[in-house]
Amino acid sequence: MAIVLLLRHGHSTANADGVLAGWTEGVGLTDTGRDQAARAAERLSALTVVRAVSSPLQRCRETASLAVPGLQVASDERLGECHYGAWTGRRLADAAKDPLWRVIQDDPAAATFPTSPAHRGESLGEMAERVVAGVRALDAEVEQGHGTGAVWLAVSHGDPIKAVVAESVGAGVSGLQRVRIDPGSLTAVQVTATRMVLLASNTHAGDLSALVARPAEHEAGDSTVGGGAG
């Protein structure tokens, strides 16, 4: 029942070029991305973040080092980007003309990226299962080590964070494309024994303290009837 803050990496060189980076090496942050990570650091500084875990990819590791400079950041492949296979490095403008694009948009649970000699492919369903299971496992470790009120940080990518949000609202991978996660944004999710609960999504500014407050009047996995008193 700890709370995870999911930070999407800042604006990257691949974002600037309009290409799908996937697991390509050497994709780092732009100046804009570094500014976004610095803003995230300001927001996180008011909290006690007990652990930070990052995707192993450079753009996430750079973001993590700027966002939580006082913490040692672990690397975990379960938080890594979707394996886009033959789409890796492809310009998004060109990808939008591929028939697979419509499958990704309209029926993401049926979308699988084709493997290439250089890059393995993965379905969006496999990606979502990997990331959600990873977040659950890491959250359990945090709770065991730091208690149920602990807050920890996961630095990841757009589609993986979208998968966690979709899971937390009960939409699953079918609802993946109904979620927006911008570079440098922070999303708050509480992981309980029964379900994930979305506390806030795609936030760019503001005090995070209220987002990580635990309900006192009912079980953490429940939602207040009527919406709560604020």
Side-chain angles (χ1 to χ4, degrees):
M1 291 183 290
I3 291 174
V4 56
L5 294 172
L6 298 129
L7 172 61
R8 184 182 174 188
H9 64 78
H11 187 262
S12 72
T13 55
N15 295 142
D17 293 338
V19 300
L20 194 62
W23 285 71
T24 304
E25 295 291 337
V27 177
L29 299 183
T30 62
D31 288 342
T32 297
R34 284 184 281 272
D35 288 343
Q36 291 168 339
R39 286 198 295 272
E42 293 176 2
R43 301 180 70 198
L44 292 166
S45 64
L47 304 177
T48 300
V49 179
V50 300
R51 186 177 181 187
V53 186
S54 172
S55 159
L57 294 168
Q58 179 182 331
R59 54 199 184 273
C60 285
R61 290 187 283 106
E62 287 182 7
T63 300
S65 68
L66 292 168
V68 283
L71 279 181
Q72 182 176 358
V73 180
S75 178
D76 195 309
E77 290 202 354
R78 292 174 294 187
L79 300 181
E81 180 63 283
C82 184
H83 289 276
Y84 293 120
W87 276 39
T88 302
R90 193 173 187 183
R91 296 192 63 81
L92 289 170
D94 295 333
K97 302 172 186 176
D98 192 300
L100 180 58
W101 181 271
R102 286 265 45 97
V103 179
I104 294 166
Q105 303 304 317
D106 301 333
D107 188 14
T112 299
F113 293 95
T115 294
S116 73
H119 301 283
R120 76 177 180 89
E122 184 177 37
S123 72
L124 287 174
E126 290 168 336
M127 177 275 295
E129 183 177 357
R130 161 172 60 82
V131 176
V132 169
V135 167
R136 284 195 172 278
L138 290 165
D139 191 87
E141 293 176 9
V142 170
E143 182 179 344
Q144 184 176 23
H146 300 277
T148 57
V151 177
W152 65 285
L153 181 72
V155 185
S156 189
H157 307 264
D159 279 343
I161 297 176
K162 285 160 62 177
V164 175
V165 172
E167 174 69 20
S168 71
V169 297
V173 68
S174 295
L176 189 76
Q177 297 296 55
R178 296 172 183 251
V179 180
R180 175 171 171 172
I181 299 293
D182 296 324
S185 66
L186 278 158
T187 292
V189 170
Q190 186 168 27
V191 182
T192 77
T194 55
R195 60 180 66 88
M196 289 180 167
V197 178
L198 180 64
L199 305 178
S201 179
N202 200 38
T203 71
H204 295 269
D207 185 3
L208 294 168
S209 301
L211 302 184
V212 300
R214 289 166 50 79
E217 67 277 8
H218 55 73
E219 293 295 327
D222 295 340
S223 183
T224 302
V225 176

